[in-house]
């Protein structure tokens, strides 16, 4: 499988992937420049400069652009004037990228690139930002309506401590925009000090217990064609060990997203690597199904398992669609006018292999699918699907399986669910704990509305184009868009994201990792706190989540087993030079509220209990309420732990735990009067639960770890 992947990568046409993999362009462009006539030569030289910037060779890019600007300085026709403007925009962002490389990468600290910029985060080496500011001011004197230039001017001043005073009022992001009334403490990034601050490109992550010692490990990928997948094992003593060597993963490269589950019911968590997204006809890269052998090693079983395919994708889900006790695999592929690639549904044959029967199951839909969510919208325990279609209508597919024959129906959908048009990551969750799964789907940028433009329009003019959508499940297949009334009104060009409970109040919060490939798209990641299911409060800036580097896969998990969820986020862009360190936010809230962690082990159901619904009943302030949790149904571009990490507010005990197992017999386990603040294990079919021997650890932060 590794050799097949490498052969395909070597045969890729450099021109077709030049936008992302600039090293391919740089291999041949000097020959093109040497052979070109005078008129074509400048165009190719600029192309080289852009490729150098995208490759991370910023100083070389700056030198070339300045040279070209000098050559055309005295030419004043309209076409050349427009060309000069765009070149100066490239030069401004190149200087800003130089500033980031010198300060946020080479002199990285735990507050780097987080807005509003603290003193600690401000750049010590100011040349890059200062030169960028000079060019940006000149550009705005020519075109005062350029929102990308306005936005970068604000950021550049923030990096050197001259925001807001030195930003002209007409271009200034109002300082009040960054205000927040939240009383939550700031979250700190400790990834570098733990040795898990991988500096690569956009990618995926899986947060879970891959060696069955009770502590959560980290698998992380980067979409770079030659970027090694990484496996960090939690040592249970507050640290992580890079176990990549010796696991069989050496040489396993690439992957924009990862999804994990136990496909062969051996008690060891496996994962799939998804590849080819965005590359259209050049994205015919095979996904990789990686089997966990249970002895510290992994094996690529893509071919022998029957899931080998060559369609561009970044999104898939594991779920037991026919409730036979074995998880199946749904992959939503990307189609364009250059190629139609239908979705795939691989049914588990219970012998380590799968069969793709999508044509007979009602899932033979095509679109530019950037996300797929799984949940149970009608509470029949059969998992339903929601597909986020970047260039078309989103699709809800209701599972109507009878017996062993899997069947989906997407006729008669609520029309509101088809929006927004430019959508991306998605998930299903019960945001208000009413017992019905709701749907969240994020917005994204488009050629007319870049992330920087959308943010400037919102902060200065209150425009909310491309905002996310939250659809409340009203029952009987009907949904209502409640985004605005729930406080989700701001555009957020979301790539990765996920859901979790930051403060253990039993209501799910969410993190949006933002951006797009363009270097101007350094917009803040976002965090929203669920206020008892009544509205979501934006706590981005008060709690330290406003990171402006590109964010991708997000995983919530209790790494130190202290009862609150920490967050691992994959950072870095799409261009080869747009690397950044991944983040691990330690949850500082502690146990202000109570909690219970529940590990489910399926017997008749799939071993990892993906699709089980846990219903917690608690009494709080004299009133009884329920908390709902779906195991394994997290965001489409994320990798939450399968451990059910549940906040129970101020309740002093759990009145009842009910587990609705994902099996055709529709069995339920029930336990009364359970103590809080403990880790328990529930086996399907058992009348009792076990108390886990896993103990709390304290993170050991080592300043000697390097990127």
């Amino acid at each position: 499988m590794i050799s097949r992947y490498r052969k395909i990568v070597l045969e890729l046409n450099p021109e077709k992937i030049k936008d992302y993999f600039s090293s391919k362009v740089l291999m041949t462009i000097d020959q093109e420049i040497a052979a070109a006539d005078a008129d074509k030569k400048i165009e190719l030289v600029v192309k080289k400069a852009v490729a150098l910037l995208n490759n991370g060779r910023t100083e070389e890019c700056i030198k070339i652009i300045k040279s070209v600007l000098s050559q055309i300085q005295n030419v004043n026709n309209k076409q050349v004037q427009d060309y000069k403007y765009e070149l100066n925009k490239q030069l401004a962002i190149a200087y800003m990228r130089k500033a980031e490389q010198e300060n946020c990468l080479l002199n990285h600290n735990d507050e780097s690139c987080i807005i509003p910029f603290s003193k600690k985060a401000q750049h010590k080496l100011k040349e890059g930002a200062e030169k960028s500011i000079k060019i940006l001011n000149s550009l705005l004197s020519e075109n005062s309506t350029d929102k990308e230039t306005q936005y970068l001017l604000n950021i550049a001043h923030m990096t050197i401590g001259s925001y807001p005073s030195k930003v002209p009022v007409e271009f200034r992001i109002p300082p009040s925009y960054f205000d927040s009334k939240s009383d939550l403490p700031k979250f700190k990034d400790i990834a570098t000090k733990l040795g898990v601050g991988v500096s690569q490109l956009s990618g995926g992550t899986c947060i879970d217990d891959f060696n069955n010692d009770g502590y959560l490990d980290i698998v992380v990928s980067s979409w770079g064609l030659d970027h090694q997948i990484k496996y960090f094992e939690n040592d249970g003593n507050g640290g992580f060990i890079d176990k990549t060597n010796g696991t069989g993963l050496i040489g396993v490269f690439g992957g924009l997203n990862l999804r994990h589950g136990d496909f062969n019911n051996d008690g060891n968590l496996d994962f799939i690597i998804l590849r080819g997204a965005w590359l259209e006809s050049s994205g015919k890269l095979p996904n990789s199904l990686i089997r966990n052998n249970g002895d510290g090693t992994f094996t690529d079983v893509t071919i022998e398992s029957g899931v080998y395919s060559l369609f561009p994708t970044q999104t898939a889900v594991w779920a037991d669609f026919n409730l036979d006790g074995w998880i199946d695999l749904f992959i939503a592929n990307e189609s364009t006018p250059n190629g139609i690639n239908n979705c795939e549904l691989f049914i588990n044959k219970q012998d380590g292999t799968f069969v793709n029967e999508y044509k007979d199951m009602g899932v033979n839909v095509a679109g530019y699918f950037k996300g797929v969510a799984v949940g149970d919208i009608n509470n029949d325990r059969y998992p339903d699907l929601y597909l986020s279609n970047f260039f078309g209508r989103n699709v809800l597919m209701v599972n109507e399986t009878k017996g062993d024959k899997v069947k989906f129906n997407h006729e008669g959908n609520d029309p509101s669910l088809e929006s927004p048009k430019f959508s991306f990551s998605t998930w299903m969750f019960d945001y208000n704990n009413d017992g019905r799964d709701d749907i969240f789907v994020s917005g994204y940028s488009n050629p007319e509305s870049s992330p920087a433009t959308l943010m400037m329009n919102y902060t200065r003019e209150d425009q909310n184009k491309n905002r996310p959508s939250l659809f409340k499940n009203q029952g009987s297949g009907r949904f209502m868009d409640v985004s605005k009334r729930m406080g989700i009104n701001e555009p957020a060009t979301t790539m990765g994201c996920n859901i979790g409970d930051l403060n253990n109040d039993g209501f799910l919060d969410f993190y949006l990792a933002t951006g797009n490939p363009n270097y101007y798209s350094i917009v803040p990641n976002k965090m929203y706190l669920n206020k008892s299911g009544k509205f979501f409060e934006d706590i981005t800036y008060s709690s330290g989540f406003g990171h402006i580097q590109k964010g991708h896969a997000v995983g919530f998990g209790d790494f130190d087993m202290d009862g609150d969820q920490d967050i691992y986020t994959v950072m870095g862009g799409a261009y080869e030079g747009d690397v950044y360190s991944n983040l691990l936010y330690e949850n500082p809230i502690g146990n202000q509220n109570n909690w219970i962690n529940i590990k489910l082990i399926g017997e008749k159901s799939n071993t990892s209990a993906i699709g089980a619904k846990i219903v917690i009943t608690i009494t709080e302030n004299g009133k009884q309420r329920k908390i709902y949790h779906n195991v394994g149904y997290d965001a489409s571009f994320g990798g939450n732990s399968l451990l059910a990490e549940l906040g129970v507010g101020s309740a002093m005990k759990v009145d009842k735990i009910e587990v609705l197992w994902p099996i055709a017999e529709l069995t339920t386990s029930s336990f009364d009067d359970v103590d809080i603040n403990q880790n328990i294990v529930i086996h399907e079919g058992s009348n009792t639960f076990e108390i886990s021997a896993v103990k709390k650890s304290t993170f050991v932060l080592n300043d000697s770890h390097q990127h």
Side-chain angles (χ1 to χ4, degrees), residues 319 323 373-386 396-399 427-430 435-439 473 479 611-613 630 633 660-662 666:
L323 298 188
V374 62
D376 180 11
I377 64 162
N378 52 10
N379 286 330
D380 64 355
R381 300 201 202 179
Y382 284 85
D384 309 303
L385 296 169
Y386 181 76
L396 175 65
M397 299 197 294
V398 179
N399 192 335
W427 67 73
M428 294 192 201
F429 70 148
D430 188 352
R436 293 193 289 262
D437 282 353
D438 312 297
I439 299 173
N473 188 340
F479 290 81
K613 177 168 284 190
N630 295 321
Y633 291 173
L660 284 63
W661 296 95
L666 305 183

Side-chain angles (χ1 to χ4, degrees), residues 5 46 67 102 190 313 376 412 461 533 542 646 657 668:
Y5 171 79
V46 172
S67 175
E102 291 176 341
I190 60 172
T313 183
D376 180 11
E461 302 168 21
S542 60
L646 306 177
I657 299 174
T668 299

Side-chain angles (χ1 to χ4, degrees), residues 379 381 600 605 609 611-615 658-663 666-669:
N379 286 330
R381 300 201 202 179
L600 298 183
S605 303
K613 177 168 284 190
I614 300 175
V615 185
E658 297 171 274
V659 181
L660 284 63
W661 296 95
I663 193 70
L666 305 183
T667 54
T668 299
S669 300

Side-chain angles (χ1 to χ4, degrees), residues 430 433 437 499 508 565 598 600 611-616 627-633 640-646 658:
D430 188 352
N433 283 323
D437 282 353
I499 48 177
L508 289 170
Q565 290 187 308
I598 304 173
L600 298 183
K613 177 168 284 190
I614 300 175
V615 185
I616 299 284
I627 298 164
Y628 295 84
H629 177 83
N630 295 321
V631 175
Y633 291 173
N640 280 0
S641 161
L642 298 177
L643 179 69
E645 300 156 338
L646 306 177
E658 297 171 274

